[in-house]
Amino acid sequence: MTRYSAWSLVRAGFSGQRTWAPAWRDAAPRKRYQAVIIGGGGHGLATAYYLARKHGIRDIAVLERGWIGGGNTGRNTTVIRSNYFFPQSARFYDFALTLYEGLSRELNYNIMFSQRGMWSFAHDRHGVEMLRRSVNAMQLNGVDAEYHDGDTVRRRIPGLNPSPRFPILAGLLQPRGGTARHDAVAWGYARAADGLGVDIIQNCDVTGFDIREGRVVGVQTTRGNIATECVGMAVAGHSGVMAERAGFRLPIISYALQAFVSEPLKPVLDTVVLAPSTGTYLSQSDKGELVIGSALDLFPSYAQRGSLPVLEQTAAGLIDLFPQFSRVRLLRQWAGIVDVVSDSTPILGESPVKGLYLNCGWGTGGFKAIPAGGFCLAHHMATGAAHPLAAAFSLDRFRTGALIDEAAASGIAH
Amino acid sequence: MLLIPCPWCGPRAENEYRCGGESPIVRPADPTATDDDAWADYLFYRDNAKGLSFERWHHQWGCGVWFNVARDTVSHQILAVYGITDPRPLLESGA
Amino acid sequence: MSGYRLDHGGDIDRDRPIRFRWEGRHYTGFVGDTLASALLASGVRMVGRSFKYHRPRGLIAAGLDEPNFIVQLGRGARTTPNLKAPYVELYEGLDAAPVNAWPSLRLDLLAVNELFKRFIPAAFYYKSFMWPNWGLFEPLIRKAAGLGTAPALADPDHYAQTSAHIDTLIVGGGIAGLAAAHHAATSGQSVMLVTGGRHWGGRLAGTSDMVEGKPARIWIKDVLRTLGAMPNVTLMTRTIATGHFDHGMVSLCERLTDHLPPTEGSGPRQRLWRVRAGELILATGAIERPLVFRGNDRPGVMLAGAARAYLHRHGVVAGEDVVVATTNDSAWYAAFDLAEAGAQIVGIVDVRAAPSPALIERAQRLGIALYLGMAPAEALGRRAVRAVRIGRISHSGRIEGATRTLRCDLLLMAGGWSPAVHLHSQAGGRLHFDRRLNGFVPEPAGGYRCIGGAAGDFARYSTLAAARGQTAEQRHGPIHATLWSISQNGAPDAQAWVDFQNDVTAGDIALAARENFRSVEHLKRYTTLGMASDQGKTSNVNGIGILGDLLGKPIEAIGTTKFRPPYDPTPFGVFAGHRVGDGLRPRRHLARHDWHVARGAALDEYGGWMRPAAYPQTGESEADAVHREVLAVRSGVGIFEASPLGKIEVKGPDAAAFLDRMYVNRISTLKPGRCRYAIMLGENGTVFDDGVVTRLADDHFLVGTTSGHAAAVTEAFREWLRCEWTTMRVLVEDVTACWAVANIAGPKARALFRALPTDIDASGDAFPHMTARIGHIGGAPARVARVSFTGELSYEIAVPWRRAGDLWDALVTAGAAHALTPFGVEALMTMRIEKGFLHVGADTDGTTLPQDIGFGEIMRKKTDDFVGRRSAHRPDGLRPDRRSLVGLETTDGNAAPLTIGAHILPAGTGQPRPSDGWVTSSAWSPTLGVPLALAMVERGQARMGETVPIWDLGNWREARITDLCRYDREGTRLDG
């Protein structure tokens, strides 16, 4: 595998860039693997990479229904942050962020993680109290967090509306938060996993499972049956569909989450901004596009397309923050399908079928968790026990009621 | 923007409504006698069907009626509208 | 000098010149011109720089497919980035500049990038900038990227939105759309016909092509005149159909004032239409593809159809010495028209060896040299094309044998036509590849029809038939040669552009394929092909074709990427519409808003309501005012407007049984005329709301909710009744906005109440605590309850909203003798903290179970089921180490109240670590002279008296865990 560097680009430049090898091989499925991962998105590819790298298991197939990175990994708004309230979430997401910080060099693939900071705002007295509660929780959980009053927020983010409908009374800044190039995360993990011998198999849909005495012994695919006793499932958005093929249900509902980009602009926003009042959040990509997101569509959906009502709400939220963006133009809108869980916390770990492990329930925030989600799933698949960072995210919490309700703790419900 | 036929008001735009999720979800008759697993099933576990799905909707910013809708979750096509206590109609997914 | 204006022809007014500026220099055009046509007529050739290599670029298109001529229009608050010049209509004083060049188009410094082109192919950034870290390089990359500049000031314009229901909506104003509109309108239907620009007639506008026996320009004028006279027809120009959404909804963006000088526009700038039509006809035409060959991006290389459009719409000849390079017939007509307009056609280069004899004959008649079976190998020139090298072309797209050079200043290219299937595809419509046409054409779909070019039908006869709902065989259409790219040596050329704006070459596509980015989506994302501000209108199909050639796969096996709304970039402002400022979410005002303001209230928003936080007097801080107000209530009497308190009427034979199921507390045992405090859970067991329930009659209850929560509680009640307990006979109505509420509180409240003109007896024990009375005050119906959130003797007086003024007048008059003091939300909160009263939403969050706030015993005593009960008794709810609500008193001698949101740490720790809980409410108690707080603390109720460290943003405090209630524990003050 050619090592990527400025030097290798220069060298290739003298031969018309014709010397590059495929970033990953298109493997044909074999009859048996030690481990099979369903889903060639960020989580699935990261799982394969960590299985190979950390646990020395290289006899792995990643089965992707379409093209790798084509689900939510390639459809999100690319925000990476770990501004969570409960210790279990904080530990997990901050581990993800830490892995992200070293990922470009670990994978030898520039994922362009840009730590330009992530802000969220408080708009009324109660919001200020809850924001303060969050900042303190983050600090006590060992996550970087700063509390700033409204004047400081406006000074730090030039161009914010001085008199918005929802006043900005305070802001929470996580300086290590930021954005990364989403596709590159999938491609980087794919290339590195491939380099370690992992088979990446595209256009391969898993249509069923071979289950004997409650234990998985193989998967049925559109490209033939594969025997294996260790399966990881990382198909967020379609987790319920895949679970049904394995004969169980999940506490998950699929919704469309939309995203929007503007035409490219010269640099105008140097951080990531979230306004809880409207749910609108945005950043500016390296290409210059404003990348904007907001709330879910309000009904269950598997349609990866945009809708008008959410666009109208999002545009209004955007303009309340930055009224000068009213004349900026929307270039493209689309949607991803997300696994919504009642407590906004992922599900990691065992499923009702032995040997089949879950990585799902990411809600709207799976991208930021990719390294940790893959790392913990790999750990569980390799060792048969949950990684301590993921132990609280088991399916069992829906029975016991030990939910880790991040949305409720943010106080938005009232 | 969906156009949803309210049984009382006729076709109205999606943003007059609120979706209340899968229907029916049967509440255990004696919750105290229901074990934790069955209770979790009632609270959280859903079919979450890709394709034909049965759900209840509320004409919240209209007449206020709750009613059932059979809808395809991929095409978003509405295949039937029926009363809240009516049985599910027999349908094939439109997608 | 290259392009020039004819002294006749085109839809412009030569008697009305318009002066405008481009790059700071003055130019003149005419009414009817666009920025693109006027500059083309002025001989300007270089109009932009490409995104990455900053190569000189010229105008290539006449519509929204233009990738190169992207401008920053105007200055100041109305400056608008990234507009496509063919769609910028000229107005007097227009001032436009290029977007991707500094200091100027000619001297653009970043043109140096091109020197490094061979080292920075597509996606080079994934392979580099990792050492020492990305953060070092990113600022430079960002600065170089981006097209135009966002305005720095708030948009001074406003935007409208409207909806339309119509029998037939037709998108596209070419002959297909015009004929379809005429046909639908003749049958009496309501018809809306929209076209994106100013012109009707599409590609035939201004031409003499024959349509049903008439020159097209006459045919178009006749149809328009007919349609214009029909009252059931709405004709809309400058209107782009941006999106085609679920259930047939089409969004239109109508530009109302963009063609006027900014000072002349009045009313909204643009309008969003949400249209639902009984029948939807997509007549959006087709988009011409460039030819992909070396140097095809030189200024002066233009799409053949565009040159024809500029000639007929604007009377502009795009060049003097013209070479036409084509794969199909359409470009020949451009050559003929330009020749007849006086341009010198140096030659027609057609990759087909044997085009139709009729074309050849006409060309020969015009004296045009023909180069058949040949293709352009390379366009020569730097800032403008000066010649083209042509040669024999093989089946594989390779130039073979010797080439020859033709001098020209305009090179027209015609690579075939791609139906504009965007709206079809957005709605989920499928496409198939038509080999005869070399384009993706729509499969028939339900709910709408595609006709004309949009359907891949380029024959006038069949198009007009389809427009009229008939079917006709396409008699003839363009016969295309398949040619996705032209190469010198068989390898895709890294100097042949596919996506002009994003600088993606055929070589880049080969690189992507080599590196296994072979899915069409991978190709797009890896190379950025089709992701520019034209969204791949001219580039996508060529890119897919080249990839197919490289992989040896038929193009239909490659497929297309998804077409996403909007069709053309659309301002966020038009989608926001009226939802700006207060229109985003109107604030709710109290019944006595003006009264509060007149008394100096500091208003703040609480749960959507603008309420007095306090009434600071001159020289008082808010805290001073709160302390004064608290003391006034505790020692005398105060008045507080409590109108936002939720009020829900619940009535019916099963009302009592229903409320028993909704509340943790038993409601059915309540006697008429009495009140009970109760909490309500969600089915997941967490605390949802609290309030006072009053039984007005056996079958009639008034349910109080927290402010701002009445709608949610009403919705919850109704959902349970309509969906679960469908046989219960109960009616629920939210009457919050029907009743204004005054709360009078304090030891003198009874005296004040008795001084009111009322028929309610409040003497002695006649009206005890937690009872309610219905009567009159000053002739207005009134509901009065003896409930208290302050701990003082208190009356909550509700009168019809419109009678609030009378009630306040009566209270103020009677209150004069008692120094009646208005108090705000903060004073109320301070008093309830002194009393340790729970405030749902502040002391609880979405994780709080009833046992956490002291309701465990009440739950145990109630035998029946209620919503949330089972969930509250799952294993996690039974943990002994749950957090519970407690009081806190500071022990660090610091008089400042604790910060709400500060965290409580385990005793004995001096280091940050995960906490045991947090402060939920806090205030300085003027009554007790100490700071007080409430907090949720792990095992809090079992830790009474324990001293705990408290963390707030790095500052440490210390407090002792106490009971909740700190003032008047016996409750004697409730009776005054």
Side-chain angles (χ1 to χ4, degrees):
Chain A
M1 192 162 67
T2 315
R3 200 174 161 72
Y4 289 163
S5 68
W7 169 238
S8 66
L9 273 169
V10 168
R11 230 175 14 205
F14 289 108
S15 60
Q17 303 289 346
R18 291 202 179 96
T19 49
W20 298 109
W24 71 92
R25 297 164 293 124
D26 263 330
R30 285 187 272 120
K31 288 279 173 235
R32 159 173 285 281
Y33 286 94
Q34 187 176 351
V36 164
I37 294 150
I38 308 171
H43 283 275
L45 293 164
T47 304
Y49 169 75
Y50 290 115
L51 269 175
R53 167 113 271 160
K54 301 281 175 201
H55 303 282
I57 298 174
R58 301 189 171 192
D59 181 20
I60 305 169
V62 176
L63 308 181
E64 166 54 46
R65 183 179 57 151
W67 37 282
I68 62 166
N72 294 329
T73 302
R75 293 172 195 277
N76 64 80
T77 47
T78 79
V79 177
I80 294 169
R81 58 184 173 87
S82 60
N83 52 353
Y84 283 78
F85 184 75
F86 291 112
Q88 302 95 317
S89 318
R91 276 198 301 269
F92 178 81
Y93 285 103
D94 208 55
F95 178 62
L97 200 160
T98 306
L99 289 177
Y100 261 128
E101 287 175 317
L103 202 58
S104 289
R105 294 176 75 172
E106 175 170 358
L107 301 178
N108 181 229
Y109 206 93
N110 188 1
I111 63 156
M112 298 179 227
F113 182 24
S114 167
Q115 294 181 285
R116 33 201 346 99
M118 161 89 196
W119 287 89
S120 58
F121 299 145
H123 306 285
D124 58 18
R125 291 175 191 236
H126 182 58
V128 172
E129 295 160 8
M130 296 304 282
L131 190 91
R132 191 104 169 188
R133 197 179 111 171
S134 292
V135 174
N136 280 317
M138 287 173 66
Q139 292 179 344
L140 292 170
N141 289 324
V143 179
D144 59 317
E146 297 173 9
Y147 175 93
H148 294 286
D149 63 22
D151 287 336
T152 310
V153 172
R154 279 178 285 277
R155 202 168 57 243
R156 295 277 296 267
I157 308 173
L160 269 182
N161 191 350
S163 52
R165 165 62 185 87
F166 297 105
I168 294 163
L169 303 182
L172 181 167
L173 170 65
Q174 182 180 21
R176 286 161 65 235
T179 57
R181 176 86 185 105
H182 54 7
D183 292 326
V185 174
W187 301 339
Y189 273 120
R191 177 168 170 268
D194 177 85
L196 294 167
V198 172
D199 279 358
I200 295 169
I201 302 162
Q202 301 188 100
N203 301 307
C204 179
D205 193 11
V206 172
T207 53
F209 293 80
D210 293 325
I211 296 166
R212 207 172 297 147
E213 290 167 3
R215 164 166 272 288
V216 69
V217 293
V219 294
Q220 302 150 13
T221 83
T222 49
R223 298 178 67 179
N225 292 356
I226 298 173
T228 182
E229 292 184 353
C230 184
V231 178
M233 176 184 127
V235 296
H238 284 71
S239 301
V241 174
M242 195 55 70
E244 191 196 353
R245 291 174 191 168
F248 58 91
R249 300 202 303 171
L250 287 170
I252 285 177
I253 303 174
S254 295
Y255 286 93
L257 176 68
Q258 296 195 48
F260 310 87
V261 297
S262 77
E263 293 185 289
L265 302 166
K266 289 296 174 201
V268 67
L269 177 65
D270 197 28
T271 186
V272 187
V273 165
L274 162 69
S277 54
T278 57
T280 299
Y281 55 95
L282 72 153
S283 62
Q284 187 176 19
S285 73
D286 289 331
K287 199 183 170 196
E289 299 156 329
L290 298 176
V291 182
I292 306 159
S294 73
L296 293 169
D297 277 12
L298 290 173
F299 50 85
S301 173
Y302 286 92
Q304 292 170 325
R305 56 180 180 264
S307 79
L308 197 53
V310 172
L311 167 57
E312 292 181 18
Q313 290 296 332
T314 308
L318 170 72
I319 290 168
D320 196 45
L321 285 173
F322 296 99
Q324 62 273 37
F325 294 163
S326 167
R327 298 179 92 82
V328 172
R329 302 193 299 172
L330 168 72
L331 178 63
R332 194 166 66 242
Q333 70 175 125
W334 69 93
I337 303 305
V338 300
D339 281 2
V340 172
V341 178
S342 71
D343 64 351
S344 313
T345 291
I347 300 168
L348 275 170
E350 281 152 24
S351 77
V353 176
K354 283 200 184 63
L356 171 58
Y357 300 95
L358 302 173
N359 167 320
C360 58
W362 296 104
T364 61
F367 176 70
K368 71 172 92 67
I370 283 172
F375 192 95
C376 291
L377 179 61
H379 180 93
H380 212 140
M381 289 173 72
T383 67
H387 191 280
L389 283 172
F393 300 155
S394 78
L395 204 51
D396 194 46
R397 72 180 191 270
F398 298 93
R399 178 186 68 79
T400 64
L403 302 183
I404 305 160
D405 200 334
E406 286 288 337
S410 73
I412 290 167
H414 285 273
Chain B
M1 176 117 65
L2 306 188
L3 191 65
I4 299 166
C6 168
W8 185 255
C9 306
R12 297 295 180 94
E14 158 193 336
N15 41 15
E16 292 185 17
Y17 295 86
R18 181 167 69 89
C19 180
E22 273 173 48
S23 175
I25 300 294
V26 179
R27 191 172 195 259
D30 183 356
T32 321
T34 307
D35 69 22
D36 290 330
D37 282 315
W39 190 252
D41 200 64
Y42 155 68
L43 280 183
F44 300 118
Y45 286 77
R46 296 294 179 264
D47 289 341
N48 196 26
K50 181 175 185 175
L52 179 59
S53 173
F54 300 91
E55 54 201 22
R56 67 192 193 206
W57 284 73
H58 181 206
H59 197 185
Q60 187 166 9
W61 289 278
C63 65
V65 72
W66 277 95
F67 58 103
N68 281 319
V69 173
R71 186 175 63 92
D72 187 304
T73 54
V74 180
S75 69
H76 294 171
Q77 193 187 346
I78 290 171
L79 303 158
V81 167
Y82 55 103
I84 199 76
T85 54
D86 293 347
R88 286 181 177 181
L90 291 171
L91 293 165
E92 290 289 311
S93 175
Chain C
M1 185 68 189
S2 176
Y4 59 94
R5 180 92 63 181
L6 296 172
D7 59 6
H8 63 279
D11 185 17
I12 55 165
D13 187 344
R14 289 176 176 76
D15 295 330
R16 293 167 66 196
I18 293 178
R19 280 169 55 81
F20 68 99
R21 289 202 298 171
W22 165 246
E23 258 208 310
R25 294 176 58 188
H26 288 277
Y27 292 88
T28 304
F30 297 110
V31 166
D33 259 329
T34 64
L35 179 59
S37 67
L39 283 176
L40 189 65
S42 305
V44 173
R45 310 184 76 187
M46 194 198 342
V47 293
R49 290 275 182 172
S50 66
F51 193 81
K52 185 170 164 190
Y53 306 126
H54 288 251
R55 283 172 62 96
R57 289 287 164 79
L59 176 68
I60 73 162
L64 295 171
D65 46 340
E66 172 59 33
N68 292 334
F69 196 176
I70 306 295
V71 305
Q72 182 89 24
L73 185 67
R75 292 162 192 260
R78 283 195 169 86
T79 189
T80 310
N82 302 344
L83 296 175
K84 293 169 181 134
Y87 258 60
V88 174
E89 292 182 41
L90 272 198
Y91 52 78
E92 189 62 39
L94 179 146
D95 185 359
V99 295
N100 206 31
W102 189 86
S104 73
L105 275 177
R106 276 188 105 50
L107 287 176
D108 182 22
L109 286 181
L110 282 174
V112 70
N113 286 2
E114 203 187 344
L115 297 178
F116 302 104
K117 183 174 178 301
R118 59 158 61 176
F119 307 119
I120 51 172
F124 72 98
Y125 28 77
Y126 300 124
K127 295 173 179 149
S128 52
F129 303 134
M130 287 174 275
W131 188 89
N133 64 67
W134 169 237
L136 196 67
F137 302 96
E138 191 186 26
L140 295 170
I141 301 262
R142 287 175 83 88
K143 218 173 148 203
L147 292 175
T149 308
L153 301 168
D155 191 349
D157 285 319
H158 66 280
Y159 300 82
Q161 296 186 337
T162 190
S163 298
H165 295 261
I166 201 119
D167 291 329
T168 304
L169 171 66
I170 298 150
V171 181
I175 62 159
L178 286 165
H182 184 252
H183 177 74
T186 310
S187 66
Q189 295 181 1
S190 58
V191 173
M192 186 180 263
L193 174 65
V194 302
T195 192
R198 191 176 71 85
H199 296 273
W200 294 101
R203 299 205 169 267
L204 295 185
T207 70
S208 299
D209 295 15
M210 297 305 282
V211 182
E212 298 183 319
K214 298 179 195 173
R217 58 176 193 278
I218 307 293
W219 185 94
I220 293 163
K221 201 190 288 179
D222 289 350
V223 175
L224 271 178
R225 190 183 306 121
T226 311
L227 291 174
M230 298 176 88
N232 53 332
V233 175
T234 306
L235 298 173
M236 291 166 65
T237 54
R238 304 185 175 103
T239 303
I240 292 170
T242 60
H244 186 189
F245 297 99
D246 284 336
H247 296 188
M249 155 82 64
V250 174
S251 59
L252 309 174
C253 178
E254 182 183 14
R255 302 185 306 286
L256 299 165
T257 63
D258 281 0
H259 59 291
L260 303 171
T263 46
E264 283 178 24
S266 63
R269 177 183 171 221
Q270 301 189 352
R271 178 183 290 127
L272 179 75
W273 290 79
R274 304 181 202 91
V275 185
R276 286 191 193 280
E279 185 178 20
L280 173 63
I281 298 175
L282 303 178
T284 44
I287 296 167
E288 190 165 30
R289 293 192 293 267
L291 286 171
V292 179
F293 59 98
R294 180 169 292 190
N296 62 344
D297 66 328
R298 301 282 179 220
V301 181
M302 184 185 253
L303 291 166
R308 195 163 188 245
Y310 286 113
L311 174 66
H312 294 300
R313 292 179 191 169
H314 305 288
V316 178
V317 175
E320 290 166 297
D321 299 307
V322 185
V323 172
V324 177
T326 185
T327 63
N328 65 88
D329 291 359
S330 65
W332 290 64
Y333 298 103
F336 299 153
D337 289 2
L338 286 166
E340 282 161 5
Q344 172 68 36
I345 307 298
V346 177
I348 295 176
V349 183
D350 196 319
V351 302
R352 300 171 299 178
S356 83
L359 290 175
I360 292 171
E361 188 190 322
R362 191 169 164 194
Q364 284 166 345
R365 232 180 13 246
L366 287 163
I368 299 174
L370 298 180
Y371 303 92
L372 303 182
M374 298 178 82
E378 182 176 14
L380 305 172
R382 168 90 195 131
R383 292 203 174 107
V385 66
R386 55 180 171 74
V388 56
R389 212 155 49 76
I390 64 171
R392 297 240 148 256
I393 183 98
S394 74
H395 279 300
S396 62
R398 184 172 178 164
I399 297 288
E400 291 178 335
T403 59
R404 58 180 296 180
T405 302
L406 305 177
R407 296 198 70 79
C408 61
D409 64 357
L410 178 67
L411 172 56
L412 298 183
M413 53 183 173
W417 296 84
S418 300
V421 295
H422 303 66
L423 294 175
H424 163 79
S425 175
Q426 284 175 19
R430 293 176 184 280
L431 302 172
H432 72 267
F433 190 76
D434 184 317
R435 304 214 136 266
R436 196 181 50 85
L437 182 67
N438 264 354
F440 287 96
V441 299
E443 301 248 343
Y448 60 93
R449 289 194 290 138
C450 299
I451 61 170
D457 181 355
F458 294 95
R460 247 157 257 161
Y461 172 79
S462 49
T463 290
L464 292 173
R468 290 163 186 148
Q470 305 143 2
T471 52
E473 200 168 321
Q474 292 181 36
R475 278 187 193 162
H476 53 79
I479 296 159
H480 285 71
T482 304
L483 181 64
W484 298 116
S485 76
I486 298 161
S487 79
Q488 313 286 317
N489 53 12
D493 196 330
Q495 302 285 340
W497 265 260
V498 182
D499 186 320
F500 289 75
Q501 191 183 108
N502 270 358
D503 265 338
V504 181
T505 68
D508 290 325
I509 294 171
L511 175 68
R514 194 176 301 128
E515 297 193 88
N516 202 21
F517 293 90
R518 294 177 176 184
S519 149
V520 66
E521 285 282 354
H522 281 154
L523 172 69
K524 165 183 135 183
R525 289 153 184 265
Y526 195 59
T527 63
T528 74
L529 172 78
M531 297 181 84
S533 72
D534 56 278
Q535 289 286 282
K537 288 188 176 65
T538 54
S539 60
N540 274 345
V541 178
N542 277 340
I544 294 163
I546 292 168
L547 182 65
D549 283 351
L550 282 164
L551 302 181
K553 282 187 182 177
I555 187 166
E556 49 269 43
I558 304 284
T560 65
T561 57
K562 292 268 181 356
F563 291 78
R564 302 294 189 186
Y567 177 74
D568 187 59
T570 307
F572 286 104
V574 78
F575 293 114
H578 64 275
R579 293 181 208 82
V580 290
D582 252 28
L584 180 52
R585 195 176 303 159
R587 295 171 168 92
R588 301 180 78 176
H589 294 290
L590 298 179
R592 299 298 296 144
H593 178 79
D594 295 342
W595 188 86
H596 302 303
V597 171
R599 261 141 208 87
L603 295 176
D604 210 343
E605 189 171 353
Y606 294 87
W609 292 85
M610 296 306 291
R611 309 180 73 176
Y615 298 81
Q617 296 174 354
T618 313
E620 270 187 342
S621 68
E622 185 185 297
D624 295 340
V626 170
H627 300 162
R628 174 180 51 73
E629 291 166 17
V630 168
L631 294 174
V633 172
R634 295 264 186 244
S635 64
V637 60
I639 177 168
F640 173 80
E641 179 166 357
S643 302
L645 266 184
K647 299 170 279 286
I648 303 171
E649 302 221 10
V650 178
K651 195 169 183 182
D654 299 321
F658 169 66
L659 291 174
D660 271 353
R661 294 186 190 180
M662 293 308 305
Y663 281 89
V664 172
N665 312 68
R666 184 174 285 290
I667 306 296
S668 53
T669 54
L670 195 60
K671 294 194 167 45
R674 297 202 65 91
C675 311
R676 183 166 292 162
Y677 173 77
I679 66 163
M680 174 184 176
L681 311 181
E683 183 70 323
N684 67 355
T686 61
V687 177
F688 184 71
D689 196 56
D690 69 344
V692 171
V693 179
T694 304
R695 189 166 203 164
L696 299 172
D698 273 345
D699 65 346
H700 191 183
F701 294 82
L702 184 64
V703 173
T705 77
T706 47
S707 301
H709 214 197
V713 174
T714 305
E715 286 305 309
F717 282 179
R718 286 192 176 149
E719 186 167 359
W720 282 105
L721 284 167
R722 302 264 169 80
C723 301
E724 186 68 31
W725 303 314
T726 54
T727 58
M728 281 192 131
R729 291 160 301 167
V730 183
L731 287 177
V732 172
E733 196 60 43
D734 178 1
V735 297
T736 305
C738 303
W739 298 87
V741 179
N743 181 271
I744 54 170
K748 294 179 183 166
R750 181 179 288 116
L752 171 59
F753 187 83
R754 292 188 65 192
L756 293 174
T758 178
D759 51 7
I760 296 170
D761 181 5
S763 61
D765 296 333
F767 190 173
H769 184 56
M770 293 307 269
T771 63
R773 298 288 180 265
I774 292 174
H776 296 82
I777 295 175
R783 289 173 167 178
V784 185
R786 275 284 311 280
V787 294
S788 176
F789 201 40
T790 57
E792 300 295 326
L793 168 66
S794 168
Y795 296 85
E796 214 164 80
I797 309 166
V799 296
W801 194 274
R802 64 182 187 284
R803 304 296 294 270
D806 300 340
L807 173 63
W808 252 258
D809 287 347
L811 286 166
V812 169
T813 304
H818 303 289
L820 179 65
T821 302
F823 66 102
V825 173
E826 296 304 317
L828 180 71
M829 286 298 139
T830 300
M831 288 185 274
R832 68 99 192 161
I833 292 168
E834 291 174 336
K835 287 294 296 175
F837 288 151
L838 174 80
H839 184 208
V840 168
D843 299 313
T844 66
D845 61 26
T847 67
T848 309
L849 298 181
Q851 52 267 46
D852 306 341
I853 54 168
F855 273 72
E857 194 56 31
I858 289 171
M859 278 203 291
R860 254 190 300 283
K861 281 187 187 149
K862 189 168 168 182
T863 47
D864 311 347
D865 185 44
F866 52 87
V867 169
R869 177 187 195 120
R870 178 65 186 82
S871 294
H873 291 86
R874 287 175 292 166
D876 195 66
L878 306 176
R879 271 192 298 121
D881 59 345
R882 290 189 63 82
R883 283 180 290 272
S884 54
L885 189 65
V886 294
L888 290 179
E889 61 183 13
T890 56
T891 53
D892 54 10
N894 184 341
L898 296 170
T899 309
I900 302 174
H903 281 239
I904 291 98
L905 270 67
T909 41
Q911 293 299 317
R913 48 159 293 177
S915 74
D916 280 354
W918 42 84
V919 177
T920 59
S921 299
S922 174
W924 167 259
S925 164
T927 316
L928 302 175
V930 293
L932 294 177
L934 306 181
M936 290 296 287
V937 182
E938 211 169 288
R939 292 182 294 104
Q941 285 295 331
R943 293 166 66 180
M944 287 298 145
E946 190 179 313
T947 302
V948 287
I950 292 177
W951 166 281
D952 180 42
L953 306 182
N955 299 312
W956 293 92
R957 297 286 303 269
E958 197 182 70
R960 185 182 302 120
I961 297 175
T962 69
D963 283 341
L964 292 168
C965 181
R966 307 298 315 285
Y967 179 66
D968 185 31
R969 287 166 211 260
E970 299 73 29
T972 52
R973 300 187 63 86
L974 289 169
D975 285 317

